[in-house]
Amino acid sequence: MMLMLTSSMMAIIITSIMMMMCTTISKISKKDREKMSPFECGFDPKSSARTPFSIQFFLIAVLFLIFDIEIAIILPIIIIMKWSLTSTWITVITFFIFILILGLYHEWNNGVLEWAK
């Protein structure tokens, strides 16, 4: 019990110290305007460096990441097939792929996959 209490207190203390350090460092960097401005060979910038990008591109990138992670989840399932029952394995993989197809249909139905409107 004492070990858990000590570990919790150490975690809280370390977290608090790191939060205070981050706050102090961020206040220092906000004061320096030259460091925050974009660099263009010593000249004043011609336009804003923080130009907006297409939200459609962002949604496609998130969709790609979601399906990429799900492929990483599917690969170990193939290895597990050796140690599990075939009927259980087929049920799990079918359910998983059904959820993926349902998610893809939902994205398609909401128009996320249409690049130009």
Side-chain angles (χ1 to χ4, degrees):
M1 183 68 177
M2 189 65 170
L3 182 62
M4 276 183 28
L5 185 63
T6 306
S7 298
S8 299
M9 290 303 292
M10 286 300 292
I12 290 171
I13 290 170
I14 290 172
T15 306
S16 300
I17 290 172
M18 290 180 71
M19 286 173 55
M20 285 188 280
M21 285 175 50
C22 288
T23 304
T24 305
I25 290 171
S26 68
K27 285 181 182 177
I28 291 170
S29 66
K30 286 181 183 177
K31 293 178 184 176
D32 195 2
R33 184 170 179 224
E34 280 300 315
K35 287 184 181 179
M36 295 302 288
S37 67
F39 179 71
E40 290 185 14
C41 302
F43 299 106
D44 290 331
K46 295 180 180 179
S47 64
S48 174
R50 290 162 182 42
T51 56
F53 63 95
S54 172
I55 194 69
Q56 196 72 24
F57 173 77
F58 178 74
L59 291 174
I60 293 287
V62 168
L63 186 67
F64 172 77
L65 284 175
I66 289 170
F67 281 99
D68 194 37
I69 289 170
E70 287 161 351
I71 287 173
I73 291 172
I74 287 176
L75 287 176
I77 290 176
I78 296 169
I79 298 169
I80 291 174
M81 187 174 100
K82 292 179 187 177
W83 298 290
S84 65
L85 297 172
T86 306
S87 61
T88 307
W89 185 83
I90 290 174
T91 305
V92 168
I93 200 74
T94 304
F95 185 67
F96 188 75
I97 291 176
F98 176 72
I99 290 174
L100 285 179
I101 292 172
L102 204 67
L104 182 62
Y105 175 73
H106 177 70
E107 295 291 333
W108 188 9
N109 206 18
N110 284 338
V112 173
L113 300 176
E114 296 174 15
W115 188 260
K117 292 183 179 182

